[in-house]
Amino acid sequence: MTAPLPPTTPDVPDTSLAEEEVVTLASELIRIDTTNTGDPDTVVGERAAAEYVAEKLAEVGYETTYVESGAPGRGNVVARLAGSDPSRGALLVHGHLDVVPADASEWSVHPFSGAVQDGYVWGRGAVDMKDMVAMSLALARRLKRDGIQPKRDIIFAFLADEEAGGHYGAQWLVENRPDLFEGATEAISEVGGFSITVKDGVRAYLIETAEKGIAWMTLRARGRAGHGSMVHDDNAVTKLTEAVTRLGTHRFPIVLTDSVRDFLHGISDITGFTVDEDDLEGSVAKLGNIARMIGATLRDTANPTMLKAGYKSNVIPSVAEATVDCRILPGRQEAFERELDEILGPDIEREWVGLPPLETTFDGALVDHMTASILAEDPGAKALPYMLSGGTDAKSFAQLGIRCFGYAPLRLPADLDFSALFHGVDERVPVDALQFGTRVLDRFLRNC
């Protein structure tokens, strides 16, 4: 028997100003170039966006904390709104201000124009994740301005450096300023709560309950340096490329995690779609635009992304290196490393930089409030858990014992390939999806 949805407080009129503001805020945030290349020499920095956020919060009466995490320009802003019940754990609402690079020559509009046209807000960061930053900021302003006190403390955090691991953002704050998140027990952030249309116009909203682990791995082969014209039987480049080829063509085993199983069973219940556990890849391939995102959560992956060797065409180098982007399912770390040892062999050195996988259950009062808030705006919809193939700042906040979800609600057109927009060309978010998400989050924040 399905549990009844939690009671909600009466609607507090009205969200129209926040819905109007969210579009402007998203556009203006996109116009602030916060490109994060991962290279300190070429990072633009998040200071301007952080100062913009702090100013918008201060306008309505918030006391904000601005922190630069040991590197000039890597700005973070945190503010807290007191709830009516101090005995309850606080909710953390976090979003990152940085974006990945964009090549303007490939775009229909300039990636930092923040153009509002054809029913969309366009630009780098529109879905990753200045849309959620704008919704959070619009609602932080709405709650404070209208004197609405939520049931629990809400901590709003606007962060640097998520796109390069959070070393100047979430991770640095967790290690150096955990006091800013005192009392927080649960959190919401990006890449969850968006809709997919699954059958006869029925929408399922995917709430992120799990993330694969991230491991950026450096492989290194050593050999004997020499002249390129000689016969050479100890070539570091040859050793490395053979190992990289073996790894790049290897397929790790399919593992059905709880989050993915729950997602597939939920889709099956809605659509009658048959999940064949003996052919999971074939089953997932039938899911349309979402197939690529879900398919990436069926197995570990290890994709070579960069090679580095040599300094002159006729010199055989003594060292060659490769970078591999590894994504690891919850519970698979030890098995993954054993497979790596077998694939790479004893002559290849490896170093790791990474963050662990996460997984929580799709239950509890917070999940009930997420679901109720969506259904209040889209009554025929369903809410389902899913696993993100990438990673977010949740990996850092989980170290504080915070239970983390992806919940940035967007009602999307059935034909929009949403997953392709992340880090993609012509990144954009529908205006009406932003306004829908603002209404959903308003109800959620007031009642959760």
Side-chain angles (χ1 to χ4, degrees):
M1 181 177 177
T2 303
L5 293 174
T8 61
T9 58
D11 287 340
V12 180
D14 66 40
T15 61
S16 57
L17 180 55
E19 291 179 55
E20 181 180 337
E21 277 193 342
V22 72
V23 178
T24 301
L25 292 169
S27 175
E28 291 181 351
L29 282 162
I30 289 167
R31 281 183 233 156
I32 304 171
D33 185 348
T34 53
T35 298
N36 186 354
T37 62
D39 177 358
D41 293 333
T42 56
V43 165
V44 175
E46 298 87 350
R47 176 186 289 164
E51 290 176 342
Y52 171 91
V53 168
E55 180 182 351
K56 293 295 182 183
L57 292 171
E59 280 180 359
V60 293
Y62 281 94
E63 293 184 8
T64 62
T65 300
Y66 176 87
V67 180
E68 288 195 1
S69 47
R74 311 311 299 271
N76 301 272
V77 175
V78 181
R80 185 183 288 251
L81 180 64
S84 60
D85 184 354
S87 68
R88 295 189 59 194
L91 175 73
L92 172 62
V93 180
H94 62 95
H96 64 86
L97 299 169
D98 60 322
V99 298
V100 296
D103 182 349
S105 67
E106 299 176 335
W107 286 58
S108 301
V109 301
H110 194 281
F112 297 105
S113 67
V116 182
Q117 61 186 50
D118 303 324
Y120 288 82
V121 182
W122 297 68
R124 176 59 84 222
V127 299
D128 187 14
M129 62 170 295
K130 290 180 177 178
D131 56 345
M132 177 60 170
V133 169
M135 288 190 287
S136 302
L137 184 54
L139 289 168
R141 286 168 56 85
R142 174 300 208 258
L143 295 173
K144 192 75 167 180
R145 182 176 53 231
D146 294 349
I148 300 168
Q149 188 174 36
K151 294 182 177 180
R152 62 199 295 187
D153 282 13
I154 300 175
I155 303 167
F156 295 98
F158 304 90
L159 306 165
D161 198 36
E162 188 273 348
E163 297 291 0
H167 303 294
Y168 299 105
Q171 188 62 40
W172 189 94
L173 291 169
V174 164
E175 293 172 356
N176 295 275
R177 292 298 308 274
D179 56 294
L180 294 172
F181 312 105
E182 183 178 355
T185 57
E186 295 168 312
I188 62 167
S189 189
E190 61 179 325
V191 206
F194 59 91
S195 72
I196 58 171
T197 302
V198 290
K199 182 183 179 182
D200 300 329
V202 175
R203 282 176 289 273
Y205 289 82
L206 307 191
I207 296 173
E208 187 216 300
T209 56
E211 297 181 1
K212 293 176 83 173
I214 299 173
W216 290 303
M217 183 171 62
T218 298
L219 303 180
R220 187 175 296 109
R222 300 183 187 275
R224 187 175 69 252
H227 198 288
S229 66
M230 301 294 178
V231 175
H232 206 87
D233 60 1
D234 188 21
N235 189 314
V237 174
T238 302
K239 292 179 187 176
L240 179 75
T241 53
E242 288 176 345
V244 167
T245 298
R246 290 194 299 271
L247 182 58
T249 56
H250 179 73
R251 290 296 173 265
F252 291 89
I254 290 176
V255 177
L256 188 57
T257 59
D258 290 343
S259 293
V260 176
R261 178 181 287 107
D262 289 347
F263 166 80
L264 292 173
H265 287 170
I267 288 290
S268 178
D269 289 344
I270 297 169
T271 65
F273 162 82
T274 300
V275 178
D276 181 357
E277 294 202 10
D278 293 326
D279 183 21
L280 281 174
E281 286 186 305
S283 295
V284 168
K286 299 173 184 177
L287 294 176
N289 288 341
I290 199 68
R292 179 172 51 185
M293 181 179 284
I294 302 303
T297 63
L298 296 178
R299 63 171 88 235
D300 304 324
T301 58
N303 288 310
T305 55
M306 293 192 293
L307 295 169
K308 178 183 177 182
Y311 54 88
K312 197 172 187 295
S313 60
N314 62 352
V315 176
I316 297 171
S318 61
V319 179
E321 293 182 345
T323 300
V324 183
D325 186 327
C326 304
R327 306 297 169 117
I328 307 163
L329 293 169
R332 275 279 302 171
Q333 185 70 37
E334 291 185 7
F336 180 79
E337 292 196 41
R338 284 197 302 271
E339 286 191 56
L340 280 184
D341 289 340
E342 295 172 4
I343 296 162
L344 297 174
D347 295 332
I348 305 296
E349 303 169 13
R350 55 184 166 91
E351 296 176 359
W352 297 93
V353 176
L355 294 165
L358 300 175
E359 189 164 30
T360 189
T361 52
F362 190 61
D363 57 18
L366 196 75
V367 170
D368 292 342
H369 282 296
M370 290 181 193
T371 302
S373 298
I374 287 172
L375 296 185
E377 291 294 328
D378 194 351
K382 305 292 183 181
L384 299 176
Y386 92 107
M387 179 185 292
L388 178 65
S389 60
T392 73
D393 281 333
K395 295 183 184 301
S396 296
F397 291 117
Q399 297 170 35
L400 296 177
I402 299 172
R403 188 184 184 205
C404 298
F405 295 89
Y407 188 66
L410 297 171
R411 183 172 59 200
L412 299 170
D415 59 351
L416 181 67
D417 188 355
F418 186 60
S419 64
L421 297 178
F422 286 83
H423 298 189
V425 172
D426 284 345
E427 184 179 351
R428 62 198 183 277
V429 63
V431 167
D432 59 5
L434 278 174
Q435 294 169 333
F436 169 87
T438 300
R439 294 192 299 273
V440 171
L441 282 174
D442 176 74
R443 181 175 281 104
F444 172 73
L445 293 177
R446 287 189 285 107
N447 290 288
C448 72

